[in-house]
Amino acid sequence: MSSVAKRNDGRWRARYRDGAGKEHARHFERKIDAQRWLDGVTAAKVRGDYVDPRTARTTVDEWCQTWLAGYGSRRGSTVRQAEVHVKIILAKFGATPLSAVRPSDVRSWTGELKAAGRATSYVYALHARLSQIFNDAVHDGIIARNPCSRRTSPRTGSQRPYVASTDQVWQLHDAFAVGLQPAVLLGAFVGLRLAEAAALRPDDVDFMRGVVSPAIQWPADPLKSEMSRTSIPIPNDLALLLSAAVARGRGAALVTDDIGRPAGPWAIQRALRRARLQVPDLPPEFRFHDLRHYFASLLIADGLDVKVVQARLRHASAKTTLDVYGHLWPDKDEASRAAVSAAIASRPRPATGTSAR
């Protein structure tokens, strides 16, 4: 129900009740303005994007607290990453009502982040997080639209991964403390992620059959996805190298500190920061994840097809594998030339005495 009525002071009062029976009113100097406001509310209801005016005043800070509370059921590392992103978002938009954030504000923000020295890929991730937060606000009926879109999104900043040489991998391995060396083996020759390598237990390795089956990530969280539980075959000589670590870890872990206790990701990263300085030509920003890139390059160089590489890396789809490592597959220039040449050679020859038209 809605109405427009003239007040004693000469102004016009427009009011309506929403679906919950709550009354909303505004006052205008002219009747035509009051009616236009009501018509806009009616149109929003018909389109399905009506938002309670009081709810629309919710600030980004208020909504982010609610959003994070509902995000807590995810993996610990995922929640921590979201919290870091939200902190950066609130530094810019915290006190701003959700409904007041414009696409131009989002573009200005991403520009400021890049000017401050943030990596292009990280700016892209922050924009994606902001879009996720606003999408959920739209879904909750708090705002009518998301100011983030492809038009406000920065470049992905995707870069070709650095691939170490085999000599560099072994030099890095030898620069690690003995108890931490299995981490390098698990990254470079099994393709495990940092948290997976730190959490790998002797029971997760079948040393006789040569199979590694990740089950958890550090400290005892579920793996990233169901695909991450895929077993990885390993050769006998790698199984022998890994089995030597079982005694050092007293049967509890493969990657250990100086006194045989399980070593967490931070211990491995600390060792990597020291070790990479001792390896010639290794970039100073070399990460543990770059060992996984080496593993992928090793498989590709040996001629394995994309589906096999996808399975060994435990990617959810072959598209992910191609997006990251497609440039590593060797060019098949001569093979493509031969295929076209064979098709041309198979062309039927015209009969003797006739001319081609």
Side-chain angles (χ1 to χ4, degrees), residues 127-145:
H127 178 274
R129 182 71 69 187
L130 183 66
S131 182
Q132 180 187 21
I133 289 169
F134 271 99
N135 267 337
D136 287 345
V138 172
H139 184 71
D140 235 33
I142 295 177
I143 53 174
R145 55 161 188 82

Side-chain angles (χ1 to χ4, degrees), residues 135-276:
N135 267 337
D136 287 345
V138 172
H139 184 71
D140 235 33
I142 295 177
I143 53 174
R145 55 161 188 82
N146 182 354
C148 303
S149 67
R150 292 178 62 184
R151 298 180 67 178
T152 65
S153 176
R155 294 186 299 109
T156 60
S158 58
Q159 300 176 347
R160 289 187 173 184
Y162 177 80
V163 178
S165 68
T166 299
D167 284 344
Q168 287 175 320
V169 168
W170 281 116
Q171 289 179 58
L172 195 68
H173 170 273
D174 294 342
F176 269 58
V178 175
L180 296 172
Q181 286 178 346
V184 179
L185 300 177
L186 292 170
F189 302 123
V190 188
L192 295 193
R193 302 173 179 92
L194 176 60
E196 295 169 343
L200 197 73
R201 303 158 298 188
D203 288 347
D204 299 328
V205 183
D206 187 330
F207 295 100
M208 295 295 293
R209 293 174 53 240
V211 178
V212 174
S213 302
I216 58 172
Q217 60 179 342
W218 185 271
D221 292 338
L223 292 175
K224 183 178 179 181
S225 66
E226 188 60 32
M227 188 66 181
S228 296
R229 300 180 67 88
T230 303
S231 297
I232 307 107
I234 60 173
N236 183 61
D237 43 5
L238 179 56
L240 290 173
L241 289 173
L242 294 176
S243 66
V246 176
R248 287 191 297 271
R250 306 186 189 108
L254 292 180
V255 183
T256 59
D257 60 17
D258 294 339
I259 59 175
R261 297 176 304 184
W266 55 87
I268 299 171
Q269 289 175 316
R270 187 166 57 246
L272 178 62
R273 285 193 292 269
R274 290 195 298 262
R276 67 191 177 194

Side-chain angles (χ1 to χ4, degrees), residues 157-163 283 285 287 290 293 322-329 331:
S158 58
Q159 300 176 347
R160 289 187 173 184
Y162 177 80
V163 178
E285 65 275 10
R287 310 161 302 159
D290 291 320
H293 297 327
L322 286 172
D323 286 346
V324 180
Y325 302 111
H327 66 285
L328 294 179
W329 265 274
D331 291 334

